[in-house]
Amino acid sequence: MSQVAPRRVPARADAWRPQDEVLNGLIHKCIEQAYRRNAETGSMAAFFGGVIVLIILGVIMSTGTGNPLLAIVVVVLLAGSGLMYAGMNAPAPKVDPIRILDVLGGPGNLPAGYLVYPAAWRAGMPEFLNKVSDRQVAVAARLCREHPGSVADLIRLVATAEQHAHEHAYGRSVTEGDIYRYAHRATVEWARLAPAPMMAAH
């Protein structure tokens, strides 16, 4: 059974990407901290678990052999071997991507332009868009630069535009262009009424 290829970062025809250095830096920092925190948590859990096992083993050996010194030597040797094995075979830390940007409200709370920002796609964006169709993502990517709301706002708008296009198709097939036209009109009006986004100048 073939696996579905992971969705790639959508690209705009003008190759635009958001240039808000502060927010970009925060996203990268969140990614870095998430992996570091996960690695530290896993390492400490394994370390303390190993220490408890070795202490129990040492007590059993000391009681059984009547030789505490021998028990200590064996425990030290096992501890050294265990640490070496753990260091060489430790699995890559697993991070829940959708939680990486929790401090920023999650990937859906990012400004709409971050739909096309690669780092956001390493911080939960694919998971956030898991139930969104490729066509909706493509339309959203075309609109994300001018849309004044969040990624979640933009996706909802595109989904509504697609539904509206179907309702007025009158038997025709709905195309990406149809959805874009409806969504673009709404975006222009929204942008006219809403405050200009900070990254619009970039």
Side-chain angles (χ1 to χ4, degrees):
M1 183 177 178
S2 60
Q3 293 183 337
V4 178
R7 181 180 277 167
R8 295 184 177 182
V9 182
R12 290 172 51 90
D14 59 4
W16 176 87
R17 288 175 179 173
Q19 301 297 321
D20 186 328
E21 294 183 2
V22 174
L23 187 50
N24 292 357
L26 285 173
I27 292 171
H28 286 279
K29 192 68 174 177
C30 286
I31 295 171
E32 177 187 338
Q33 289 183 344
Y35 281 93
R36 180 190 302 149
R37 183 167 54 247
N38 193 74
E40 290 173 352
T41 301
S43 298
M44 291 303 293
F47 174 78
F48 285 115
V51 167
I52 292 172
V53 170
L54 289 173
I55 289 174
I56 294 173
L57 178 61
V59 171
I60 293 173
M61 287 188 61
S62 178
T63 303
T65 63
N67 189 341
L69 182 59
L70 175 62
I72 292 172
V73 171
V74 171
V75 167
V76 169
L77 290 174
L78 288 174
S81 300
L83 288 173
M84 182 180 297
Y85 177 83
M88 295 175 63
N89 297 278
K94 294 182 179 179
V95 174
D96 183 3
I98 200 69
R99 302 297 304 276
I100 291 177
L101 297 180
D102 275 359
V103 69
L104 299 177
N109 199 48
L110 293 173
Y114 282 82
L115 179 66
V116 296
Y117 189 60
W121 283 72
R122 294 191 288 114
M125 192 65 76
E127 290 74 17
F128 177 75
L129 299 172
N130 186 44
K131 296 182 179 180
V132 180
S133 70
D134 289 341
R135 183 162 72 171
Q136 289 177 350
V137 172
V139 172
R142 294 172 64 182
L143 293 168
C144 69
R145 184 175 186 176
E146 57 194 301
H147 193 279
S150 66
V151 171
D153 292 331
L154 176 57
I155 294 300
R156 281 193 293 268
L157 172 63
V158 172
T160 301
E162 183 170 22
Q163 181 180 355
H164 185 76
H166 278 289
E167 290 172 353
H168 294 79
Y170 304 113
R172 295 184 299 104
S173 296
V174 172
T175 66
E176 182 178 312
D178 296 328
I179 301 169
Y180 174 79
R181 280 191 293 275
Y182 285 115
H184 182 257
R185 284 201 294 267
T187 295
V188 169
E189 182 63 14
W190 191 338
R192 185 180 69 83
L193 298 174
M198 290 180 62
M199 62 182 180
H202 295 286

